[in-house]
Amino acid sequence: MNSIADRAGSSETQTEQSAATQEETLKSETPNETKGGMAVSCVLVLTVVVLTATGAVPFPKPLGVLADARGCHLAQFQSLSPQELQAFKRAKDTFEESLSQKAWSCHPRLFPRTWDLQQLKVWERPVALEAELALTLKVLEAMADSSLGDILDQPLHTLRHIHSEVQACVPAQAPAGLRPRGRLHHWLQRLHDAPEKESLGCLEASVMFNVFRLLTRDLKCVASGDLCV
């Protein structure tokens, strides 16, 4: 009987020792497995961060970023503030008052009624507008130094800002290597030759009477992009 009890006790002792050994083994392996899992997770996170930063992963970008990839921000000019337009109106009214005291006649008009940027291709419109703005600035800056003085300060500030933004939207070269042709070529040549072919008085009048059309039609058309139809 004692032998049976001894064997039973010995068996229980061995079972307990085996269980304890397994428990110790599990304790020693668990941290390593946890560390291994954390290491794998860290590697995956780091890989995603690197790929995203380098652009290898095509995460969607905001539409605004894609639209302004070339630094073209013209949507803001679809309409100018009343204060800005009022500054141009004061300058135009002052010019008209001085003009009423002079006898002048200008034909043909530098900016005829057929001048409409909608007639141009979308990529041609900023090119024409940039040339129109450049001539307008050149003439008004000369007028500010002589006849109109301070009254042109605000309009010139606005036009310089618009001109710099439009310049950022003018393509470095025409699509598929095309050069300005047809109507665009004719308009650009007309603006280029105007300072030499037009008298100073007619050039000033043409630019001043065209400025509101430039701001409310031509600029708005270019700022609207494909929607200007």
Side-chain angles (χ1 to χ4, degrees):
M1 295 290 292
N2 289 337
S3 177
I4 295 175
D6 291 340
R7 287 199 298 270
S10 175
S11 177
E12 290 177 358
T13 301
Q14 290 177 353
T15 301
E16 291 175 355
Q17 290 176 347
S18 177
T21 301
Q22 292 178 356
E23 182 177 356
E24 290 296 326
T25 301
L26 288 173
K27 287 181 178 179
S28 63
E29 291 178 353
T30 301
N32 291 333
E33 292 176 354
T34 303
K35 291 179 180 178
M38 292 178 63
V40 172
S41 299
C42 290
V43 171
L44 289 174
V45 171
L46 181 60
T47 302
V48 171
V49 171
V50 171
L51 290 175
T52 303
T54 58
V57 178
F59 277 77
K61 297 181 180 180
L63 292 177
V65 174
L66 296 175
D68 296 334
R70 294 184 297 112
C72 186
H73 310 275
L74 294 185
Q76 58 182 308
F77 299 127
Q78 291 189 32
S79 62
L80 298 182
S81 70
Q83 292 81 5
E84 289 172 320
L85 292 175
Q86 184 61 33
F88 282 97
K89 185 177 185 304
R90 284 197 299 268
K92 180 173 176 290
D93 290 345
T94 302
F95 176 76
E96 285 183 343
E97 289 177 5
S98 66
L99 201 61
S100 63
Q101 304 172 6
K102 304 175 184 179
W104 64 282
S105 177
C106 301
H107 296 287
R109 299 174 60 182
L110 177 59
F111 300 99
R113 293 180 180 178
T114 55
W115 184 285
D116 186 352
L117 296 193
Q118 290 186 18
Q119 301 176 35
L120 301 176
K121 297 181 177 67
V122 174
W123 73 265
E124 293 178 325
R125 294 169 185 171
V127 179
L129 179 61
E130 192 278 328
E132 189 178 358
L133 282 164
L135 178 61
T136 300
L137 275 169
K138 181 178 181 180
V139 173
L140 293 187
E141 285 171 347
M143 294 173 67
D145 292 336
S146 57
S147 57
L148 294 185
D150 294 343
I151 199 169
L152 280 174
D153 285 349
Q154 183 57 45
L156 283 172
H157 175 77
T158 301
L159 286 173
R160 290 187 186 112
H161 174 58
I162 295 172
H163 186 226
S164 66
E165 295 292 341
V166 172
Q167 282 181 314
C169 300
V170 174
Q173 60 181 12
L178 295 176
R179 294 183 179 181
R181 298 180 182 226
R183 186 176 283 108
L184 175 62
H185 175 75
H186 174 70
W187 287 359
L188 293 179
Q189 192 65 46
R190 187 187 187 101
L191 294 175
H192 178 269
D193 296 341
E196 297 179 0
K197 292 186 175 182
E198 300 283 341
S199 67
L200 180 59
C202 287
L203 192 59
E204 291 177 348
S206 295
V207 166
M208 188 62 75
F209 292 142
N210 178 68
V211 71
F212 272 96
R213 196 266 301 278
L214 185 158
L215 297 172
T216 59
R217 289 180 55 185
D218 295 349
L219 178 59
K220 182 178 180 180
C221 179
V222 174
S224 300
D226 295 337
L227 298 179
C228 179
V229 292

